[in-house]
């Protein structure tokens, strides 16, 4: 179980770094464009907001998975919290398979 938490921690950390990198690039472009006279609302752009929200969410999942990895006798809710994104991905894949099977192989 400890190995699973370590793998989850690394995967969540990579996702966090990816979204944080996108956020930093967008902030850099925002201020570079602002110096060139282009004024836009940073939070109003949905892509910037998504990068900010997903960075915070994956940081929380990384922190939770790391705490579950470091102390196996931790709260069971924390352990369920660490597996939540994986469970959501598996449920989405199962839903897509059910949709494809029930539609006779046609996507549209």
């Amino acid at each position: 179980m400890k190995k699973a938490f370590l793998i989850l921690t690394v995967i969540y950390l990579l996702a966090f770094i990816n979204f944080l990198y996108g956020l930093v690039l967008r902030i850099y472009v925002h201020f570079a464009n602002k110096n060139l006279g282009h004024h836009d609302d940073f939070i109003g752009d949905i892509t910037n907001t998504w990068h900010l929200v997903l960075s915070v969410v994956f940081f929380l999942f990384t922190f939770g998975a790391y705490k579950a990895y470091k102390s196996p006798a931790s709260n069971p809710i924390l352990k369920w919290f660490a597996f939540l994104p994986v469970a959501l991905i598996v449920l989405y894949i199962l839903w897509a398979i059910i949709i494809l099977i029930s539609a006779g192989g046609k996507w549209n």
Side-chain angles (χ1 to χ4, degrees):
M1 192 67 161
K2 205 168 181 182
K3 193 172 205 171
F5 284 124
L6 180 63
I7 292 169
L8 284 177
T9 303
V10 170
I11 290 171
Y12 296 155
L13 182 65
L14 289 175
F16 165 69
I17 289 171
N18 178 36
F19 287 114
L20 186 67
Y21 174 73
L23 180 65
V24 169
L25 280 181
R26 291 186 185 282
I27 290 172
Y28 174 75
V29 168
H30 172 74
F31 285 111
N33 286 341
K34 196 173 188 179
N35 288 338
L36 293 174
H38 302 284
H39 298 287
D40 59 342
D41 186 23
F42 181 74
I43 298 296
D45 187 9
I46 193 70
T47 308
N48 298 336
T49 307
W50 271 112
H51 276 278
L52 178 64
V53 168
L54 289 174
S55 295
V56 170
V57 165
F58 275 108
F59 173 76
L60 292 175
F61 282 123
T62 303
F63 183 72
Y66 177 73
K67 289 301 257 183
Y69 168 71
K70 289 304 273 184
S71 59
S74 62
N75 192 353
I77 295 174
L78 181 65
K79 293 178 182 179
W80 284 100
F81 178 74
F83 284 105
L84 181 65
V86 174
L88 291 175
I89 290 170
V90 168
L91 286 175
Y92 179 76
I93 290 171
L94 289 175
W95 174 77
I97 290 171
I98 289 171
I99 292 294
L100 283 174
I101 290 173
S102 65
K106 298 177 185 174
W107 186 252
N108 278 336

